[in-house]
Structures are given as structure tokens and as C-alpha cells.
């Protein structure tokens, strides 16, 4: 019997047993590592989706906007993705409080941690699913499982905080639009989580054993299907103190694919400020530069980078216009990048075999 196709306004249809297996999902859940301890530290990062600055407004900034009466209905964030000019237009989630008042939330660092933890859980056997016919992917979990994963990575949250973040991710929507006129105009609009459903014997906010289903954003599903994700040191990334350091770690994992003892990687302050949108809240540029310096020092201290060199670009009257950072990877990061490169190559070859098997045969 054919599976019922999920409808836009329906509760998330539970995945079937077959959605928890298959070669495509096996590729996503397999990592190139030597031990179970190494596997525990690994997860996947997604090229386009993780390049979208979708978690750039802090809870503190939101509180200030509410008090000042400047909380916006839509947030526009321009960014570049591999040379293309794009724009993220984010609509906040409106959440009803226990006193029946309604509060708006933009997804922030809290929600980013929740998504990263769920992606890690999805990379474990029997929890992640990929439904090719209906083109959806996601994860089945309990609040206890998610809370333990966050706690393990140094980000303890209460069940109530986790439920709030899940609701924010399901009710916030993001439009990703082209703005450079290359290959025509285009856009996509979807919630951060395309679906969220739960079954509980008691109140969801207090039930650690509630069974939840999350359906990931279509760009995650597309990456799983096209094998455009990369393995990276998730445990190390989650261990960083600042959100900016975590963003930099993901970007280096995606783009510094040629890391070696004799190569370096250049990043500009202006590029990082634009594409992360995490340095917009500083009144003075020197304060934003100092925050970036601290984040790079964090990457050095944690063993991602070996050295960083800073070249300030100054204009008239010695005004600071930009900063070029030359980054050298640590031996540990180089080893991880080489493993990720090899794993991606093997996955792409495996996908070619899968696609080849599905090609129609010529009639004689």
C-alpha cells in the first residue's frame, strides 16, 4: 500500500519502518572513524543551510526590542553564499504564554543548539529517517533523550526550555531569496522545522518520555539526498563558549577543505560580519573586531586552529576599514578534514551506484 502523502496543514505523519533504513540514510549515518568514541564526537554540517544566518538575534536583543517597541514583524538579513548574493527574511514565532499573552521570538542561539543536537541524534541508528517518495527527513526522539544530549555537550536545558525552543523552530519561517539576478530570481519559504508533532500521556512540557517527531527543513533533506553534507567534530563545536566560535567552526569545516601544514585560509572581518550577522549589535567596529578576535582565540585554545595572523586595512586618517585574518589549521583539524574529504568521496561514489541501479534499462 502506498504511503499517504503528508499535507501541508496536517499533523506530521509518522515515518514508516522503511524510512529508518535504506542506502541513502546509511550514507548519512556512517562516519569515517576508528572507534565508537570518535563516532560519538562526529555529526554532519550542511553547506547551504549552515551558511544561512538564521540565528543572529539574541534573546537579550529581543528583550530590548520589546521594551523599546521596535520588535519587527520581519527580519531581513543579506548574506553571500559561494559568491551569490542572497537574503534571508525571517518571520518570528508567536508563542502563547500561560497567562494567555503572546510573545514573539526569533530563533536564537538556544534554538541553534537544539537543532544541532537533533541532527546529531538523527545521525544515530533508529532515530533519523529519510522518506524519499515524500521527500522529507527528520528525527524521532524523546525530551529526555534530547535533554541528555544537550547536557552531555555542556548545554543543560529544562524540559520547558526545550519545548519552547521546539515550538519556536516549528513556528518561525524563513524565506531564502536570490538578489543578484544570476540565473533569474528565486525564493523558498519554509518553517525552520517543516513539521513538529508529539504524543504524551501527560502535559508535554513536563513529560520526559513524550515521543516527538521533527521534520527538518527541506534544505537538510536536499543535502541528505544529494550527499552535500560533511562530517565534522560536533562535540568540539558544541564545546565552544560563544555562538560566533561555533559558527566559525562550521564554516571552516565546510570551506577549509584543503587544510594542511603548508596551507592557510584567509577570512575578512567584513565577510564574517555580513555572512554570520552575529556582529551587528556592536556600536563600535573595534568592539566587533575584538569579539571576533576572542572567538578565534577560542578556536585556537580548543585545538581547531594552530595560528592566526591579523592584517588591519586602514584608510584615511588611519581609520580601520577591514581586517584580514590568515588562519592555519591544527594537526587535529587537518586530520579531521582529510577524513571528511575521504568520507564525502566514498559517499558520492556510493550514491552514483545507487542512482545507477535506479536508472531505467534500455529496451532491446
Amino acid at each position: 500500500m502506498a504511503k499517504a502523502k503528508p499535507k501541508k496543514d496536517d499533523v506530521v505523519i509518522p515515518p514508516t519502518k522503511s524510512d529508518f533504513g535504506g542506502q541513502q540514510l546509511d550514507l548519512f549515518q556512517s562516519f569515517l572513524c576508528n572507534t565508537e568514541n570518535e563516532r560519538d564526537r562526529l555529526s554532519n554540517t550542511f553547506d547551504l543551510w549552515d551558511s544561512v544566518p538564521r540565528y543572529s538575534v539574541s534573546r537579550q536583543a529581543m528583550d530590548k526590542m520589546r521594551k523599546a517597541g521596535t520588535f519587527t514583524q520581519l527580519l531581513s538579513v543579506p548574506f553571500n553564499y559561494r559568491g551569490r548574493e542572497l537574503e534571508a527574511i525571517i518571520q518570528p514565532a508567536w508563542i502563547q504564554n500561560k497567562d494567555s499573552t503572546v510573545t514573539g521570538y526569533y530563533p536564537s542561539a538556544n534554538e541553534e543548539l537544539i537543532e544541532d543536537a537533533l541532527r546529531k541524534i538523527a545521525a544515530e541508528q533508529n532515530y533519523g529517517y529519510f522518506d524519499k517518495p515524500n521527500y522529507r527527513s527528520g528525527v524521532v526522539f524523546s525530551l529526555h533523550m534530547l535533554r541528555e544530549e544537550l547536557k552531555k555537550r555542556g548545554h543543560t536545558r529544562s524540559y520547558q526550555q526545550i519545548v519552547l525552543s521546539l515550538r519556536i523552530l516549528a513556528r518561525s519561517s524563513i524565506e531564502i531569496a536570490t538578489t543578484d539576478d544570476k540565473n533569474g530570481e528565486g525564493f523558498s519559504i519554509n518553517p525552520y522545522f517543516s513539521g513538529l508533532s508529539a504524543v504524551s500521556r501527560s502535559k508535554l512540557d513536563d513529560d520526559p518520555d513524550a515521543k516527538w517527531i521533527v521534520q527538518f527543513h527541506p534544505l537538510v533533506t536536499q543535502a541528505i539526498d544529494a550527499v552535500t553534507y560533511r562530517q565534522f567534530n560536533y562535540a568540539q563545536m558544541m564545546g565552544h563558549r560563544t555562538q560566533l566560535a561555533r559558527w566559525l567552526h562550521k564554516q571552516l569545516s565546510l570551506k577549509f577543505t584543503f587544510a594542511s601544514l603548508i596551507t592557510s585560509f584567509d577570512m575578512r572581518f567584513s565577510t564574517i560580519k555580513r555572512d554570520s550577522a552575529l556582529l551587528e549589535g556592536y556600536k563600535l567596529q573595534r568592539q566587533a573586531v575584538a569579539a571576533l578576535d576572542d572567538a578565534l582565540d577560542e578556536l585556537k585554545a580548543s585545538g581547531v586552529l594552530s595560528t592566526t595572523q591579523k592584517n588591519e586595512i586602514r584608510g584615511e586618517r588611519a581609520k580601520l576599514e577591514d581586517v584580514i585574518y590568515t588562519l592555519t589549521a591544527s594537526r587535529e583539524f587537518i586530520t579531521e578534514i582529510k577524513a571528511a574529504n575521504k568520507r564525502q568521496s566514498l559517499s558520492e561514489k556510493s550514491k552514483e551506484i545507487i542512482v545507477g541501479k535506479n536508472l531505467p534499462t534500455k529496451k532491446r
Side-chain angles (χ1 to χ4, degrees):
M1 183 183 292
K3 287 189 288 188
K5 189 172 183 178
K7 295 179 181 178
K8 203 168 188 180
D9 298 326
D10 285 348
V11 173
V12 180
I13 294 177
T16 64
K17 185 177 179 180
S18 63
D19 296 332
F20 290 91
Q23 291 176 299
Q24 207 76 3
L25 192 61
D26 287 344
L27 291 176
F28 177 74
Q29 294 176 334
S30 299
F31 296 100
L32 199 63
C33 55
N34 296 316
T35 66
E36 281 301 310
N37 183 54
E38 286 183 8
R39 175 184 168 80
D40 180 65
R41 297 176 61 81
L42 298 173
S43 187
N44 295 298
T45 185
F46 302 90
D47 192 15
L48 175 53
W49 183 234
D50 284 337
S51 296
V52 179
R54 61 196 190 278
Y55 294 110
S56 59
V57 184
S58 69
R59 287 282 178 88
Q60 292 82 1
M62 283 184 258
D63 287 339
K64 289 181 180 178
M65 287 190 287
R66 292 189 195 102
K67 290 177 182 178
T70 58
F71 193 91
T72 57
Q73 298 296 311
L74 291 174
L75 179 69
S76 178
V77 187
F79 69 103
N80 274 26
Y81 168 70
R82 298 192 179 276
R84 292 212 64 183
E85 295 177 7
L86 302 175
E87 181 181 27
I89 303 170
I90 304 169
Q91 180 175 305
W94 296 97
I95 307 295
Q96 185 171 359
N97 305 308
K98 291 183 177 180
D99 62 359
S100 296
T101 60
V102 176
T103 303
Y105 293 90
Y106 283 104
S108 65
N110 290 308
E111 287 66 54
E112 185 171 26
L113 291 168
I114 294 290
E115 184 190 345
D116 282 326
L118 285 176
R119 280 159 39 172
K120 171 59 178 172
I121 294 172
E124 301 297 327
Q125 297 292 335
N126 303 321
Y127 298 120
Y129 66 88
F130 176 66
D131 177 6
K132 176 75 171 181
N134 293 311
Y135 215 68
R136 60 183 184 141
S137 64
V139 60
V140 177
F141 62 100
S142 69
L143 294 180
H144 177 72
M145 185 187 303
L146 177 52
R147 188 169 187 251
E148 287 300 302
E149 174 60 31
L150 289 164
K151 181 180 178 181
K152 181 179 180 180
R153 308 304 175 182
H155 301 285
T156 301
R157 296 290 187 275
S158 69
Y159 291 125
Q160 292 77 16
Q161 289 172 321
I162 291 173
V163 170
L164 174 60
S165 287
L166 288 169
R167 293 187 186 280
I168 291 171
L169 287 163
R171 292 183 179 178
S172 300
S173 67
I174 183 166
E175 176 180 349
I176 302 170
T178 58
T179 59
D180 58 6
D181 294 328
K182 291 180 180 178
N183 301 319
E185 297 181 357
F187 68 90
S188 68
I189 304 176
N190 291 96
Y192 280 59
F193 285 166
S194 295
L196 175 68
S197 184
V199 178
S200 172
R201 294 180 180 177
S202 61
K203 292 183 178 180
L204 285 171
D205 287 6
D206 304 315
D207 186 1
D209 298 317
K211 300 302 180 185
W212 292 72
I213 303 172
V214 154
Q215 188 172 311
F216 292 140
H217 189 277
L219 285 178
V220 174
T221 301
Q222 185 181 45
I224 293 173
D225 186 39
V227 194
T228 54
Y229 48 83
R230 286 179 61 83
Q231 78 176 42
F232 79 118
N233 194 328
Y234 154 84
Q236 189 178 38
M237 182 277 296
M238 290 288 276
H240 298 318
R241 177 178 52 84
T242 63
Q243 185 183 9
L244 182 57
R246 295 193 292 271
W247 182 88
L248 286 166
H249 191 149
K250 284 183 183 177
Q251 291 302 302
L252 289 169
S253 299
L254 286 167
K255 296 172 181 175
F256 198 5
T257 57
F258 52 88
S260 73
L261 293 174
I262 58 173
T263 58
S264 59
F265 188 70
D266 286 350
M267 299 185 81
R268 285 179 174 263
F269 164 80
S270 57
T271 301
I272 294 169
K273 182 180 179 182
R274 178 195 64 204
D275 293 344
S276 73
L278 294 173
L279 295 169
E280 297 294 340
Y282 295 94
K283 292 182 180 180
L284 300 176
Q285 181 159 286
R286 58 181 173 81
Q287 294 174 326
V289 171
L292 177 53
D293 289 345
D294 289 343
L296 290 170
D297 286 342
E298 210 178 328
L299 295 185
K300 284 174 62 179
S302 66
V304 176
L305 298 176
S306 174
T307 62
T308 61
Q309 293 182 347
K310 183 178 175 182
N311 179 26
E312 296 182 347
I313 300 175
R314 295 187 176 272
E316 293 183 3
R317 298 183 181 180
K319 181 182 178 181
L320 183 63
E321 294 184 346
D322 208 346
V323 182
I324 300 175
Y325 294 89
T326 300
L327 312 177
T328 305
S330 67
R331 289 181 180 272
E332 178 186 2
F333 186 77
I334 292 169
T335 299
E336 290 168 356
I337 285 294
K338 288 181 178 179
N341 290 344
K342 185 174 181 180
R343 184 252 196 159
Q344 189 167 38
S345 176
L346 292 172
S347 296
E348 288 172 350
K349 289 179 181 177
S350 297
K351 192 199 173 200
E352 289 175 4
I353 294 173
I354 295 171
V355 173
K357 287 180 179 178
N358 294 331
L359 289 174
T361 55
K362 290 183 178 180
K363 293 182 179 181
R364 299 196 177 198

